[in-house]
PDB file of all heavy atoms in Angstrom:
ATOM      1  N   PRO A  29       1.016 -10.514   8.956  1.00  0.00           N
ATOM      2  CA  PRO A  29       2.159  -9.644   9.227  1.00  0.00           C
ATOM      3  C   PRO A  29       1.742  -8.398  10.014  1.00  0.00           C
ATOM      4  O   PRO A  29       0.597  -7.941   9.923  1.00  0.00           O
ATOM      5  CB  PRO A  29       2.650  -9.274   7.822  1.00  0.00           C
ATOM      6  CG  PRO A  29       1.508  -9.516   6.913  1.00  0.00           C
ATOM      7  CD  PRO A  29       0.664 -10.579   7.548  1.00  0.00           C
ATOM      8  N   PRO A  31       1.998  -4.259  10.867  1.00  0.00           N
ATOM      9  CA  PRO A  31       2.056  -3.113   9.952  1.00  0.00           C
ATOM     10  C   PRO A  31       3.470  -2.841   9.425  1.00  0.00           C
ATOM     11  O   PRO A  31       3.648  -2.541   8.241  1.00  0.00           O
ATOM     12  CB  PRO A  31       1.532  -1.952  10.802  1.00  0.00           C
ATOM     13  CG  PRO A  31       0.564  -2.610  11.734  1.00  0.00           C
ATOM     14  CD  PRO A  31       1.219  -3.935  12.074  1.00  0.00           C
ATOM     15  N   VAL A  66      16.774  -3.064   7.840  1.00  0.00           N
ATOM     16  CA  VAL A  66      16.237  -3.870   6.744  1.00  0.00           C
ATOM     17  C   VAL A  66      16.696  -5.314   6.891  1.00  0.00           C
ATOM     18  O   VAL A  66      15.891  -6.248   6.758  1.00  0.00           O
ATOM     19  CB  VAL A  66      16.656  -3.308   5.365  1.00  0.00           C
ATOM     20  CG1 VAL A  66      16.206  -4.233   4.235  1.00  0.00           C
ATOM     21  CG2 VAL A  66      16.092  -1.903   5.161  1.00  0.00           C
ATOM     22  N   MET A  69      14.695  -7.090   9.529  1.00  0.00           N
ATOM     23  CA  MET A  69      13.322  -7.377   9.110  1.00  0.00           C
ATOM     24  C   MET A  69      13.296  -8.447   8.024  1.00  0.00           C
ATOM     25  O   MET A  69      12.435  -9.338   8.040  1.00  0.00           O
ATOM     26  CB  MET A  69      12.637  -6.104   8.613  1.00  0.00           C
ATOM     27  CG  MET A  69      11.205  -6.358   8.145  1.00  0.00           C
ATOM     28  SD  MET A  69      10.089  -7.031   9.406  1.00  0.00           S
ATOM     29  CE  MET A  69       9.708  -5.543  10.313  1.00  0.00           C
ATOM     30  N   VAL A  70      14.230  -8.393   7.102  1.00  0.00           N
ATOM     31  CA  VAL A  70      14.283  -9.390   6.034  1.00  0.00           C
ATOM     32  C   VAL A  70      14.518 -10.783   6.633  1.00  0.00           C
ATOM     33  O   VAL A  70      13.915 -11.769   6.188  1.00  0.00           O
ATOM     34  CB  VAL A  70      15.360  -9.000   4.988  1.00  0.00           C
ATOM     35  CG1 VAL A  70      15.715 -10.158   4.087  1.00  0.00           C
ATOM     36  CG2 VAL A  70      14.873  -7.817   4.164  1.00  0.00           C
ATOM     37  N   LEU A  79       9.531 -14.480   2.371  1.00  0.00           N
ATOM     38  CA  LEU A  79      10.576 -14.362   1.361  1.00  0.00           C
ATOM     39  C   LEU A  79      11.706 -15.326   1.702  1.00  0.00           C
ATOM     40  O   LEU A  79      11.734 -15.918   2.782  1.00  0.00           O
ATOM     41  CB  LEU A  79      11.094 -12.918   1.262  1.00  0.00           C
ATOM     42  CG  LEU A  79      11.619 -12.215   2.521  1.00  0.00           C
ATOM     43  CD1 LEU A  79      13.047 -12.628   2.845  1.00  0.00           C
ATOM     44  CD2 LEU A  79      11.562 -10.723   2.312  1.00  0.00           C
ATOM     45  N   LYS A  94       4.384 -12.913  -2.277  1.00  0.00           N
ATOM     46  CA  LYS A  94       3.874 -12.259  -3.492  1.00  0.00           C
ATOM     47  C   LYS A  94       2.385 -11.963  -3.376  1.00  0.00           C
ATOM     48  O   LYS A  94       1.923 -10.883  -3.748  1.00  0.00           O
ATOM     49  CB  LYS A  94       4.107 -13.144  -4.717  1.00  0.00           C
ATOM     50  CG  LYS A  94       5.518 -13.144  -5.207  1.00  0.00           C
ATOM     51  CD  LYS A  94       5.635 -14.030  -6.436  1.00  0.00           C
ATOM     52  CE  LYS A  94       7.082 -14.257  -6.778  1.00  0.00           C
ATOM     53  NZ  LYS A  94       7.246 -15.232  -7.860  1.00  0.00           N
ATOM     54  N   TYR A 102      -2.454  -3.175  -3.886  1.00  0.00           N
ATOM     55  CA  TYR A 102      -3.835  -2.883  -4.269  1.00  0.00           C
ATOM     56  C   TYR A 102      -4.490  -1.982  -3.217  1.00  0.00           C
ATOM     57  O   TYR A 102      -5.145  -0.992  -3.549  1.00  0.00           O
ATOM     58  CB  TYR A 102      -4.631  -4.190  -4.425  1.00  0.00           C
ATOM     59  CG  TYR A 102      -6.129  -3.983  -4.451  1.00  0.00           C
ATOM     60  CD1 TYR A 102      -6.761  -3.497  -5.580  1.00  0.00           C
ATOM     61  CD2 TYR A 102      -6.900  -4.252  -3.322  1.00  0.00           C
ATOM     62  CE1 TYR A 102      -8.140  -3.284  -5.600  1.00  0.00           C
ATOM     63  CE2 TYR A 102      -8.273  -4.046  -3.325  1.00  0.00           C
ATOM     64  CZ  TYR A 102      -8.891  -3.561  -4.468  1.00  0.00           C
ATOM     65  OH  TYR A 102     -10.246  -3.351  -4.472  1.00  0.00           O
ATOM     66  N   LEU A 110      -9.403   6.585  -3.981  1.00  0.00           N
ATOM     67  CA  LEU A 110     -10.559   7.135  -3.278  1.00  0.00           C
ATOM     68  C   LEU A 110     -10.287   8.566  -2.817  1.00  0.00           C
ATOM     69  O   LEU A 110     -11.135   9.452  -3.026  1.00  0.00           O
ATOM     70  CB  LEU A 110     -10.928   6.265  -2.073  1.00  0.00           C
ATOM     71  CG  LEU A 110     -12.047   6.855  -1.195  1.00  0.00           C
ATOM     72  CD1 LEU A 110     -13.379   6.851  -1.935  1.00  0.00           C
ATOM     73  CD2 LEU A 110     -12.149   6.098   0.115  1.00  0.00           C
ATOM     74  N   ALA A 123       0.647  10.806   2.674  1.00  0.00           N
ATOM     75  CA  ALA A 123       0.708  10.738   4.140  1.00  0.00           C
ATOM     76  C   ALA A 123      -0.607  10.211   4.717  1.00  0.00           C
ATOM     77  O   ALA A 123      -0.601   9.436   5.677  1.00  0.00           O
ATOM     78  CB  ALA A 123       1.039  12.106   4.716  1.00  0.00           C
ATOM     79  N   ARG A 139     -15.197  -2.754   0.956  1.00  0.00           N
ATOM     80  CA  ARG A 139     -16.313  -1.802   0.870  1.00  0.00           C
ATOM     81  C   ARG A 139     -15.862  -0.504   0.203  1.00  0.00           C
ATOM     82  O   ARG A 139     -16.625   0.113  -0.552  1.00  0.00           O
ATOM     83  CB  ARG A 139     -16.898  -1.508   2.255  1.00  0.00           C
ATOM     84  CG  ARG A 139     -17.480  -2.706   3.016  1.00  0.00           C
ATOM     85  CD  ARG A 139     -18.627  -3.466   2.356  1.00  0.00           C
ATOM     86  NE  ARG A 139     -18.329  -4.183   1.145  1.00  0.00           N
ATOM     87  CZ  ARG A 139     -17.761  -5.407   1.076  1.00  0.00           C
ATOM     88  NH1 ARG A 139     -17.394  -6.042   2.163  1.00  0.00           N
ATOM     89  NH2 ARG A 139     -17.547  -5.977  -0.101  1.00  0.00           N
ATOM     90  N   ASN A 164     -20.490  23.286   0.970  1.00  0.00           N
ATOM     91  CA  ASN A 164     -19.924  23.295   2.321  1.00  0.00           C
ATOM     92  C   ASN A 164     -18.760  24.253   2.466  1.00  0.00           C
ATOM     93  O   ASN A 164     -18.530  24.795   3.543  1.00  0.00           O
ATOM     94  CB  ASN A 164     -19.510  21.887   2.734  1.00  0.00           C
ATOM     95  CG  ASN A 164     -20.700  21.000   3.011  1.00  0.00           C
ATOM     96  OD1 ASN A 164     -21.803  21.464   3.242  1.00  0.00           O
ATOM     97  ND2 ASN A 164     -20.483  19.691   2.968  1.00  0.00           N
TER      98      ASN A 164
END
Side-chain angles (χ1 to χ4, degrees):
V66 174
M69 179 60 79
V70 164
L79 55 80
K94 283 181 191 173
Y102 164 76
L110 174 68
R139 299 300 66 81
N164 288 341

